[in-house]
Amino acid sequence: MKLGFSPVLEPEKFRTFWVTGTAWGDYTQRTVGEKKLEARLKVGLGGLKLKEISFRLPPAYQERKVVSFRAFLKGKALELEGAENSGKIILRWEKPALLRAGDELLCEAQF
């Protein structure tokens, strides 16, 4: 499964509800200082096998160079492939990340 978020209103501090056929939860995105963007995907109920997540950068970050990507699930770092394309961060996993109710996926981009 792939999920993508592209906030327009207040992308520096954004929150929304999401739903798929197998799970629902909330997504938050916020800037941390001048050099980090965090995106959190929380599962409220159900489960999903996530292969890719993407999120749009706030305008102030779109001209900056991303120096690293990281993602954590249940406090453990996930091996991933990260890319930045046209103001969007795309994170992919070779094997899908299994998220269940109560899990939180934390994604970070360092600038």
Side-chain angles (χ1 to χ4, degrees):
M1 174 174 292
K2 298 178 184 180
L3 290 178
F5 301 90
S6 188
V8 176
L9 298 174
E10 298 185 52
E12 298 83 8
K13 189 176 180 184
F14 178 77
R15 183 175 181 174
T16 193
F17 178 82
W18 59 268
V19 64
T20 69
T22 61
W24 61 264
D26 67 355
Y27 170 82
T28 58
Q29 175 177 308
R30 70 183 185 116
T31 56
V32 180
E34 303 254 332
K35 297 191 176 195
K36 185 162 106 176
L37 179 68
E38 286 184 352
R40 294 176 186 264
L41 183 77
K42 294 181 186 175
V43 179
L45 192 62
L48 66 144
K49 292 180 180 178
L50 189 63
K51 181 84 171 155
E52 176 181 301
I53 188 168
S54 62
F55 47 93
R56 182 149 312 277
L57 293 170
Y61 282 70
Q62 290 187 5
E63 299 299 319
R64 297 182 187 184
K65 179 171 174 46
V66 179
V67 293
S68 70
F69 303 101
R70 300 189 315 170
F72 302 90
L73 179 59
K74 299 179 191 174
K76 293 184 180 181
L78 300 175
E79 288 188 38
L80 60 87
E81 175 187 319
E84 192 258 323
N85 184 4
S86 300
K88 187 190 314 186
I89 298 289
I90 304 164
L91 304 178
R92 293 183 183 100
W93 295 267
E94 189 173 316
K95 291 190 285 184
L98 178 59
L99 287 86
R100 295 192 169 127
D103 287 349
E104 177 180 90
L105 175 67
L106 168 61
C107 303
E108 297 177 346
Q110 298 276 344
F111 299 86

